[in-house]
Amino acid sequence: MHVRRNSTTALTKGTVAGSSGGASGGASVGGAAGGAAGGARSDEGADGKDPSGRTLLPVNKNLGNVKAEHGAHPSMAFFQNRSLSLVDMYIDTSEPTENVGQIQFSMEYNFNEMTLILRIMQAKELPAKDLSGTSDPYVRVTLLPDKKHKLETKIKRRTLHPKWHETFYFEGFPIQKLQSRVLHLHVFDYDRFSRDDSIGEVHIPLCQVDFSEKNNTFWKALHPLEKNKCGEILCSLMYQPSTSELTLTVIKCRNLKAKDINGKSDPYVKVWLYFGEKRIEKKKSEVQFCTLNPEFHFTVMFDVPWERIRECQLNVTIMDHDKVGRNEAIGKIMLGKAGSGTSETKHWSDMITKPRQTVVMWHRLKPE
């Protein structure tokens, strides 16, 4: 990833370069996730210095949107055939479990420059993290799935209603690639003597943003950081109406919660077929020992008549095998008309509307 910035906060990865009298330049780091060409730079209208006092360089802001010459706007094409893996994991319409404030930001896309322009404006009603009854908030910005390259705003001291007004430029992203990414904004409270505290975060799948609009300004509620992360599961569904065959394949998991004292788990898959609230049939995979990122490629098939497909559900649980004690659940999902989350329900719906096609999707595991 190529990064150029004029911000008051140093990159988490990479080196900031510049001098007080410079007119161009900044910081650069190499290599984007997946070999994609893309980068980011940041500028702001503050004092041009980061918290350590380094002087940073101004950036040219002369960017604008253009329309496609023929037909629909190019940002709309993505919706016709988009990836259903990463972005669907973060499509979440649920309310935060507690009020940790809101953040305001705007986005636009320059089609000539292939550049996403992100402006972090302000936040309000943040919780107090310091004994003084205030916080020292800043925002960390990433474009998932790339977690290596991060940008940060300036730290605003002793306030629960910070105003940043900083601009970040993510350069070299074709619209199709950009809309398979998820914008992650994470607000932290800076602590000089210990680890910075998480205040709240928000995920924005960029496929949900209409980049044909020039003014996409949002207020988004921050969500507290999940304390009970169980990991993620990649699975596929397919239904054959002619043979009444429902096929589930659990492909792999990642970042599972460790259950053993060695910091690992011994995971396996347990699947229950339900009709309504009644358990019908159970199937289990082999155990994958000492791993938090198992690859199962475990396929199960159930006989489900078409007239009953809408009332059935699949309970998919990742278990930790224990040779001595009782096997313990790591996390689970429910696939069905009333799934355990937005992405689970959509996965099931897509399977029904696309018979004889394999539909693959990532899901976040839920605690038991």
Side-chain angles (χ1 to χ4, degrees):
M1 177 184 285
H2 185 71
V3 180
R4 289 183 292 150
R5 59 181 287 130
N6 175 31
S7 180
T8 54
T9 319
L11 278 172
T12 303
K13 302 290 184 182
T15 304
V16 177
S19 63
S20 59
S24 63
S28 64
V29 293
R41 75 176 191 267
S42 165
D43 60 46
E44 63 171 66
D47 57 5
K49 293 186 178 182
D50 69 13
S52 63
R54 290 176 292 191
T55 303
L56 301 169
L57 302 178
V59 176
N60 183 1
K61 294 186 181 180
N62 187 21
L63 297 173
N65 277 358
V66 295
K67 293 285 185 178
E69 292 183 7
H70 305 287
H73 198 279
S75 69
M76 297 294 98
F78 184 81
F79 291 92
Q80 305 303 319
N81 185 26
R82 68 178 178 86
S83 166
L84 292 175
S85 53
L86 174 78
V87 293
D88 286 274
M89 250 172 44
Y90 293 104
I91 294 177
D92 186 3
T93 58
S94 63
E95 293 295 319
T97 55
E98 61 180 289
N99 181 22
V100 291
Q102 299 179 54
I103 187 168
Q104 186 187 37
F105 58 97
S106 71
M107 287 184 283
E108 67 179 276
Y109 184 74
N110 182 302
F111 287 88
N112 279 340
E113 302 287 341
M114 293 190 298
T115 296
L116 171 67
I117 306 166
L118 168 69
R119 296 180 179 91
I120 305 294
M121 298 173 178
Q122 61 182 318
K124 64 181 181 181
E125 300 173 358
L126 299 181
K129 292 290 186 177
D130 300 335
L131 294 176
S132 62
T134 61
S135 292
D136 300 319
Y138 68 92
V139 184
R140 181 174 296 165
V141 182
T142 50
L143 270 186
L144 300 175
D146 180 12
K147 296 182 180 179
K148 181 179 179 182
H149 303 109
K150 301 166 185 164
L151 294 169
E152 295 177 353
T153 66
K154 184 178 181 179
I155 299 164
K156 296 298 181 180
R157 305 284 182 175
R158 295 178 294 279
T159 178
L160 303 180
H161 307 279
K163 297 182 186 298
W164 290 285
H165 298 291
E166 297 188 37
T167 302
F168 298 85
Y169 298 82
F170 294 87
E171 301 173 321
F173 278 97
I175 189 66
Q176 289 278 351
K177 182 175 293 294
L178 182 69
Q179 292 186 298
S180 66
R181 300 299 181 95
V182 174
L183 176 66
H184 182 210
L185 304 179
H186 196 164
V187 181
F188 286 90
D189 168 55
Y190 172 76
D191 195 313
R192 183 178 178 183
F193 299 106
S194 64
R195 187 175 181 180
D196 295 351
D197 295 321
S198 171
I199 293 177
E201 62 181 351
V202 63
H203 294 88
I204 310 295
L206 295 182
C207 65
Q208 293 183 322
V209 180
D210 182 2
F211 287 111
S212 66
E213 297 291 332
K214 289 188 177 181
N215 184 22
N216 284 300
T217 301
F218 307 92
W219 274 105
K220 290 288 184 180
L222 294 167
H223 289 248
L225 191 66
E226 290 184 45
K227 296 184 176 70
N228 298 314
K229 288 188 176 179
C230 303
E232 300 158 2
I233 182 171
L234 179 65
C235 55
S236 69
L237 288 170
M238 183 175 67
Y239 184 66
Q240 292 273 9
S242 59
T243 59
S244 300
E245 193 172 83
L246 172 61
T247 303
L248 164 73
T249 299
V250 177
I251 302 168
K252 61 182 178 180
C253 294
R254 64 187 179 194
N255 304 323
L256 292 181
K257 189 174 183 178
K259 292 290 186 178
D260 300 335
I261 57 174
N262 62 0
K264 301 289 184 179
S265 293
D266 300 320
Y268 67 93
V269 184
K270 181 173 70 175
V271 181
W272 272 105
L273 171 67
Y274 280 76
F275 282 124
E277 298 182 358
K278 184 178 180 181
R279 288 180 174 180
I280 304 298
E281 189 176 353
K282 180 177 74 172
K283 297 189 178 182
K284 294 193 296 184
S285 74
E286 298 291 324
V287 178
Q288 304 292 315
F289 290 98
C290 201
T291 178
L292 300 180
N293 299 283
E295 296 201 9
F296 294 107
H297 301 284
F298 173 58
T299 298
V300 294
M301 289 177 284
F302 298 102
D303 182 34
V304 180
W306 171 250
E307 58 271 16
R308 303 199 69 183
I309 189 65
R310 296 183 184 277
E311 67 176 283
C312 85
Q313 297 186 98
L314 294 175
N315 183 319
V316 183
T317 305
I318 305 300
M319 303 290 296
D320 174 54
H321 173 74
D322 197 316
K323 293 181 180 178
V324 180
R326 183 179 179 182
N327 295 343
E328 188 178 356
I330 297 174
K332 69 175 184 179
I333 60 171
M334 184 73 81
L335 296 167
K337 184 179 179 181
S340 53
T342 305
S343 68
E344 291 93 319
T345 302
K346 178 173 175 53
H347 198 174
W348 190 263
S349 175
D350 286 353
M351 177 199 70
I352 292 176
T353 57
K354 300 173 183 177
R356 298 174 295 279
Q357 294 184 39
T358 300
V359 183
V360 184
M361 198 176 292
W362 280 100
H363 303 286
R364 280 181 280 188
L365 291 165
K366 277 73 174 175
E368 275 279 284

